[in-house]
Amino acid sequence: MAVEPSQDTLNGQGSSLRAVVSMLVGNKTSPLPQQLAMGFFTDTSLCIGCKACEVACKQWNQLPASDPGWTGSSYDNTGQLSATTWRHVQFIEHIGRREDGQNGYSGVRSDISGQIAQAKKDNIIPLIPPGTALPFFNTDRWLMQSDVCKHCANAPCLEACPTGAIIRTEFDTVYVQQDICNGCGYCVVACPFGVIARDERGTHTARKCTLCYDRMKDGIEPACAKACPTDSIQFGEVAKLKAHARERLGILHERGVKEARLYGVDDDILDGGLNSFFLLLDEPEVYNLPANPQRPSNNVVPASLWTILAAMVLSLFGIFFFRE
């Protein structure tokens, strides 16, 4: 006669099973409650190139300093974003330009030069502008921009990650979990902005801006925005920042800065827009930003169909060949 196990025995076996599963896969915690999407609005018309954001980012995140070096084409000695440089202030010097492009930047527009020449002729601005002249009163100017991870609404790096190391936080930011990343580098080639990079000298994992996730959890704004003396970097709710960015663009247009434009505010970039967006004073390409960045995942289905088609054609050729 079979004896049914008692309830205490079943409970004990269940506890043992849960302990084994917990030991193998770890304790499963409930997800954190969703918060409002947070991000950056970088107004390049206010950037003075002080690089305080770079220093604050490195200091807070304990990132090693890079050896300074001359690029030969700019005063910018950082060069680009990297695994140990999560904020990079670009210096884009437009000095000694001509409309024919033979002496400096070739993208200057004749309408701007014509407006400046007419303003000088009408004595609206002096023939020789003083040292305090605003940049759009002179064809010689420096464009400056504090570049950072865009925290895309549909992040290509997240889609390419095979281990699940890249996640979206409760603040809708893109975060790389260092203890899960295996350093495969798929995210590096997937990012259309060249933001994420693998730390070849240290952890050998992919690293980038975390939008100071540790500070946000405590209700503190990111270090770079806190250190910015001109409020060129503004942190807050994405919806409010986008409304402010459109308002700021309208103000600049009213003041005659017609070349000002927004980048990443609308959802037409990467099928959802960016949570870290910019106000630019020239074409995106001038700031080394792609005008129409592509998501590699959009090419998976067409490439798969072509692969299947090619395999079918080769199979048919094989059948006819062996029949003969």
Side-chain angles (χ1 to χ4, degrees), residues 35-55:
Q35 304 291 331
L36 292 171
M38 307 297 284
F40 286 129
F41 167 47
T42 303
D43 186 347
T44 66
S45 68
L46 299 176
C47 182
I48 59 175
C50 67
K51 289 184 177 282
C53 54
E54 281 193 28
V55 176

Side-chain angles (χ1 to χ4, degrees), residues 3-135:
V3 179
E4 295 184 359
S6 64
Q7 189 65 37
D8 292 339
T9 303
L10 292 174
N11 291 338
Q13 291 175 351
S15 300
S16 300
L17 180 59
R18 283 193 295 270
V20 172
V21 172
S22 176
M23 182 179 63
L24 293 176
V25 301
N27 293 321
K28 183 178 179 180
T29 59
S30 57
L32 295 173
Q34 193 67 26
Q35 304 291 331
L36 292 171
M38 307 297 284
F40 286 129
F41 167 47
T42 303
D43 186 347
T44 66
S45 68
L46 299 176
C47 182
I48 59 175
C50 67
K51 289 184 177 282
C53 54
E54 281 193 28
V55 176
C57 177
K58 281 185 174 289
Q59 183 180 32
W60 178 259
N61 295 290
Q62 300 181 7
L63 300 172
S66 304
D67 294 332
W70 295 105
T71 62
S73 60
S74 171
Y75 280 102
D76 173 20
N77 57 18
T78 305
Q80 61 185 2
L81 294 170
S82 70
T84 57
T85 300
W86 299 350
R87 268 281 180 187
H88 168 225
V89 178
Q90 294 176 311
F91 287 11
I92 305 169
E93 294 102 329
H94 293 171
I95 307 298
R97 298 183 297 174
R98 295 179 186 172
E99 292 183 27
D100 57 10
Q102 294 181 357
N103 183 22
Y105 178 63
S106 60
V108 64
R109 294 178 294 278
S110 58
D111 58 337
I112 297 177
S113 299
Q115 292 172 11
I116 294 173
Q118 186 62 40
K120 289 181 178 179
K121 183 178 180 180
D122 297 339
N123 292 323
I124 297 176
I125 60 176
L127 293 177
I128 302 177
T132 57
L134 294 175

Side-chain angles (χ1 to χ4, degrees), residues 221-264:
E221 68 177 324
C224 57
K226 182 72 173 179
C228 182
T230 62
D231 281 339
S232 172
I233 302 172
Q234 300 174 34
F235 167 76
E237 298 175 20
V238 170
K240 292 183 178 179
L241 287 179
K242 287 185 175 181
H244 173 65
R246 294 187 177 98
E247 181 182 355
R248 172 65 177 166
L249 180 66
I251 292 174
L252 289 180
H253 283 176
E254 289 177 0
R255 294 177 179 176
V257 190
K258 301 299 183 182
E259 63 270 26
R261 70 203 67 205
L262 296 177
Y263 182 85

Side-chain angles (χ1 to χ4, degrees), residues 154-167 174 181-192 196 206 294-298 300:
N154 291 303
C157 61
L158 188 152
E159 295 173 340
C161 180
T163 65
I166 303 179
I167 61 171
V174 182
C181 178
N182 64 359
C184 66
Y186 290 170
C187 56
V188 177
V189 296
C191 176
I196 195 166
Q294 301 296 314
R295 291 173 61 193
S297 60
N298 291 343
V300 172

